[in-house]
Amino acid sequence: MNVLLMGHPNVGKSVFFNRLTGASVTESNYPGTTIDYTKGYMRIGGKSVELIDVPGTFSLNPKDKAEEVAVAMLHESKDVKVICVIDASKIERGLYLALEIIEQGYPVVIALNMWDVAGDKNITININDLSRILGVAVVATTAISGEGIKELVTSLDDARPVEIDNIINNVGGLT
Amino acid sequence: MTLDAATRWDIIDKISKETIAFGKYRHTLTDAIGELTVKPGTGIPIAIAILYGFWSIFGSFAGFFTDGFFVRIFDEYWLVWLQGVFPGQGGWLYAIMVDAGGIQSGQFIPSDNCLEAFGVLTSGIFVAIGVVLPAILIFYFMLALLEDIGYMPRLAVLIDTLLHKIGLHGYAIVPTILSLGCNVPGVTATRILETKKQRFIMMTLLAIFIPCGAQIGIMEDVVPGLMGWIMLYLLIGYFIFGFVLNKIVPGEAPEFLIDVPPYRKPLVSNIFKKVWGRLVGFFKVALPFVLLGCAIVGILYMLEVIDWLAVVLSPIFIGWFGVPAETAGPLIAAFLRKDLAVAQLSTIEMTEYQMITAVVLVSIYFPCVATFAMMLKEGWKELLAALAVLAVVVFLYGGLIHVIGILLGVA
């Protein structure tokens, strides 16, 4: 099994990667720090699993070369699960990418990262409801201090593909 | 099943209504500082102050360690010790490894400093450890600080209008600043630009006009008084040729959209991890080439290849560029390492203006071999085109600098 870290630029994917694999890929506070993918290994339940730090992308329609790398990584990897990292303080647009990945039939878990920043901005998110509607695990994380990382990794095991129709039903149909 | 964008947003809207509550947002001090540094009226003066601060800390830190510490250790102990214990003084191995002793004059005179000795173990190690190490250490430390605070995207916004004139946009400041550390990551970072045209212009300008941290470090050490002129010529070249490339390279140069992240408090552990990682990476690439470059130039001198080249090329060097013909030697070293080339230039007898011209030529004439390899990885067609541009630029710009010197009455 391969695990991909995907999400918008500058949401903290590389911080997750370093925490999970013990590697030291460059982390910075600007979009576009990671321009190529990096592979590493982490352990889930005693098994060694390949984890891939993917360049940030806004959607699955690439607009520059770094984003092309990201989308190609997703499409070319076999037996893949995706940790979709979302900036909790900008959750809506993060969900857009998450939906795109779910639609294409990939098993996803969502990390609502920068949970502390969302709190500072007085944004409250009902994680249980969000998880119920989407049908995927949603975990509040603050990657830089390590909060939520363990729960995130545990939830990966149960990640399954979700039918987009179920999500549409759960929100009460389309307008 | 896949959806269209409107349907996705519809779903997200409904999810948001059910699960997210946006409370009242307080305007914080960090936001206020964020706005001050991005509005042109206040942002530009602040940017100038920050970059000036960067520059002066860089100069004084590197100078303090190199002049106050390493120069003494290397010249008074390391060189003297090696001259004493290394066997076969005057022989070819001694000349390559330790001291070529006034190799241009043809007669062995022991050198009294590590820059002039030209040996692998003397000049090579001194340039790498004594000069370049302190320079890139402080450079990468301050770069990591700017990166982690979140200043880079704000600089990008401020400089956007200016960089559009040369077919790029504000975010091109990121590969440019990374290149000031080392051109290799700079070339990779061009991938954040959207079109082929932008990537080509950026890569070409980086390879030609942006001196790396190692080179800046050695320039600070051997020609500190001429730094302003050299950097000015490089900066002007960057914009002139960027402007021309924008006109002649086909393709689009779109506007950029960027998320300016909030300022964050940098983590000390992350800063140190980054600086350490970059230092290790630098030495893996740099040290072998510095030593190899030293050896190759030493051998070429001994085989009189450099003298031959100097004679053959003298019409171009003396007539067109207005620099001494001996500049041929450092230019060969420059392909391996620019820092080494500048160090060797400093030992050649010439006027101040010739030195300015020669250092600018060393900077622009060819990317070092590591950068060359990285450009090849990004595409051989682009590399060939970039080299063609480079040949034209060196010839025209080198000549222009000579003409300016003549007009100013200093060349």
Side-chain angles (χ1 to χ4, degrees):
Chain A
M1 183 176 79
N2 292 310
V3 178
L4 296 187
L5 278 163
M6 295 193 74
H8 283 193
N10 211 37
V11 295
K13 295 174 293 299
S14 296
V15 184
F16 275 103
F17 184 79
N18 286 345
R19 282 218 168 254
L20 290 171
T21 64
S24 46
V25 299
T26 310
E27 305 165 4
S28 302
N29 182 19
Y30 65 87
T33 304
T34 307
I35 35 212
D36 210 343
Y37 65 89
T38 314
K39 292 185 181 185
Y41 290 89
M42 64 170 181
R43 301 193 73 79
I44 306 182
K47 283 177 300 183
S48 183
V49 172
E50 190 169 71
L51 181 71
I52 304 167
D53 185 24
V54 176
T57 181
F58 283 102
S59 77
L60 296 181
N61 300 315
K63 68 165 183 30
D64 62 36
K65 223 176 166 184
E67 293 198 353
E68 277 170 28
V69 172
V71 177
M73 280 317 293
L74 178 67
H75 290 156
E76 284 162 15
S77 304
K78 292 205 178 80
D79 184 22
V80 61
K81 290 187 176 181
V82 178
I83 298 177
C84 187
V85 185
I86 293 177
D87 177 347
S89 69
K90 296 169 189 157
I91 176 168
E92 286 165 308
R93 54 184 221 181
L95 286 174
Y96 186 91
L97 177 67
L99 278 182
E100 275 192 303
I101 300 171
I102 290 172
E103 280 165 33
Q104 298 197 354
Y106 294 98
V108 169
V109 298
I110 290 177
L112 283 182
N113 196 33
M114 307 197 193
W115 188 250
D116 54 334
V117 179
D120 290 346
K121 289 188 175 172
N122 280 321
I123 299 169
T124 36
I125 302 166
N126 186 329
I127 290 194
N128 290 332
D129 281 354
L130 187 59
S131 174
R132 181 183 52 76
I133 293 171
L134 292 172
V136 305
V138 179
V139 183
T141 61
T142 305
I144 213 149
S145 62
E147 272 169 69
I149 299 257
K150 202 162 178 214
E151 195 188 337
L152 183 74
V153 172
T154 319
S155 66
L156 259 179
D157 239 359
D158 298 326
R160 299 276 176 276
V162 175
E163 281 301 322
I164 198 78
D165 285 334
N166 292 345
I167 298 177
I168 296 175
N169 284 335
N170 290 341
V171 293
L174 298 168
T175 311
Chain B
M1 186 180 97
T2 56
L3 309 169
D4 58 55
T7 316
R8 273 183 214 124
W9 284 121
D10 183 28
I11 296 174
I12 291 166
D13 229 29
K14 295 197 163 91
I15 294 177
S16 167
K17 277 195 190 113
E18 271 193 54
T19 62
I20 307 164
F22 295 92
K24 202 170 174 328
Y25 182 68
R26 299 176 308 270
H27 203 73
T28 63
L29 179 65
T30 319
D31 294 325
I33 298 171
E35 280 159 22
L36 280 179
T37 46
V38 87
K39 280 181 186 155
T42 45
I44 291 173
I46 293 173
I48 292 171
I50 288 177
L51 294 178
Y52 182 77
F54 194 113
W55 182 251
S56 32
I57 293 173
F58 175 83
S60 45
F61 180 95
F64 177 79
F65 280 97
T66 300
D67 295 335
F69 187 63
F70 284 117
V71 168
R72 272 185 221 161
I73 292 186
F74 274 92
D75 289 354
E76 288 170 26
Y77 299 98
W78 179 245
L79 177 67
V80 174
W81 180 74
L82 269 179
Q83 282 170 331
V85 299
F86 204 92
Q89 195 184 76
W92 64 271
L93 188 64
Y94 185 91
I96 291 171
M97 297 309 284
V98 180
D99 187 359
I103 197 158
Q104 294 97 329
S105 65
Q107 178 190 5
F108 184 80
I109 312 152
S111 308
D112 59 2
N113 69 65
C114 272
L115 274 182
E116 283 168 13
F118 265 55
V120 172
L121 297 176
T122 50
S123 296
I125 305 248
F126 171 68
V127 167
I129 310 272
V131 183
V132 172
L133 178 64
I136 62 164
L137 175 70
I138 188 66
F139 181 89
Y140 281 135
F141 175 74
M142 288 191 296
L143 179 67
L145 213 55
L146 288 188
E147 283 182 340
D148 285 13
I149 289 172
Y151 188 65
M152 301 282 262
R154 290 176 171 81
L155 200 55
V157 170
L158 285 173
I159 205 160
D160 186 50
T161 317
L162 187 60
L163 288 176
H164 269 289
K165 305 254 186 282
I166 59 171
L168 300 168
H169 57 56
Y171 224 52
I173 199 70
V174 170
T176 305
I177 288 188
L178 289 183
S179 286
L180 284 170
C182 172
N183 285 6
V184 172
V187 168
T188 320
T190 58
R191 290 186 199 165
I192 59 172
L193 300 172
E194 288 83 355
T195 64
K196 270 195 153 160
K197 170 178 175 156
Q198 290 175 311
R199 284 198 294 273
F200 175 73
I201 293 181
M202 186 79 262
M203 210 190 291
T204 309
L205 290 180
L206 294 183
I208 302 178
F209 290 108
I210 305 295
C212 70
Q215 195 193 333
I216 298 174
I218 189 92
M219 293 191 312
E220 275 277 358
D221 187 51
V222 297
V223 286
L226 310 178
M227 281 300 276
W229 281 104
I230 293 164
M231 295 306 274
L232 187 66
Y233 270 129
L234 291 176
L235 195 66
I236 292 172
Y238 179 94
F239 282 102
I240 293 181
F241 288 97
F243 185 80
V244 175
L245 281 175
N246 183 30
K247 297 277 178 227
I248 58 175
V249 177
E252 283 174 64
E255 187 50 81
F256 84 129
L257 295 167
I258 190 196
D259 255 331
V260 178
Y263 281 130
R264 299 204 168 99
K265 205 173 107 196
L267 283 181
V268 177
S269 58
N270 192 46
I271 302 260
F272 280 105
K273 207 167 75 182
K274 273 208 281 202
V275 171
W276 178 248
R278 283 166 171 169
L279 283 185
V280 170
F282 180 84
F283 271 95
K284 271 192 202 150
V285 178
L287 198 56
F289 282 117
V290 172
L291 302 184
L292 186 69
C294 239
I296 289 179
V297 173
I299 292 168
L300 291 178
Y301 259 118
M302 233 171 283
L303 299 173
E304 296 184 345
V305 175
I306 305 247
D307 296 322
W308 177 79
L309 269 179
V311 172
V312 173
L313 295 176
S314 64
I316 299 178
F317 280 120
I318 297 169
W320 185 260
F321 295 131
V323 296
E326 291 84 12
T327 311
L331 280 182
I332 288 170
F335 178 59
L336 289 158
R337 289 295 305 172
K338 304 249 171 168
D339 42 7
L340 185 66
V342 175
Q344 293 178 338
L345 271 183
S346 71
T347 64
I348 297 173
E349 194 77 30
M350 57 180 127
T351 68
E352 274 197 349
Y353 197 79
Q354 284 178 321
M355 184 61 87
I356 294 171
T357 314
V359 174
V360 172
L361 278 178
V362 161
S363 308
I364 67 177
Y365 112 105
F366 210 83
C368 74
V369 68
T371 309
F372 186 85
M374 190 48 78
M375 289 168 77
L376 186 62
K377 232 171 117 184
E378 298 293 313
W380 63 271
K381 277 186 210 158
E382 284 83 358
L383 174 65
L384 284 184
L387 292 183
V389 172
L390 186 142
V392 175
V393 168
V394 170
F395 202 68
L396 286 182
Y397 203 49
L400 181 67
I401 292 173
H402 189 196
V403 171
I404 293 172
I406 293 170
L407 291 177
L408 291 174
V410 289

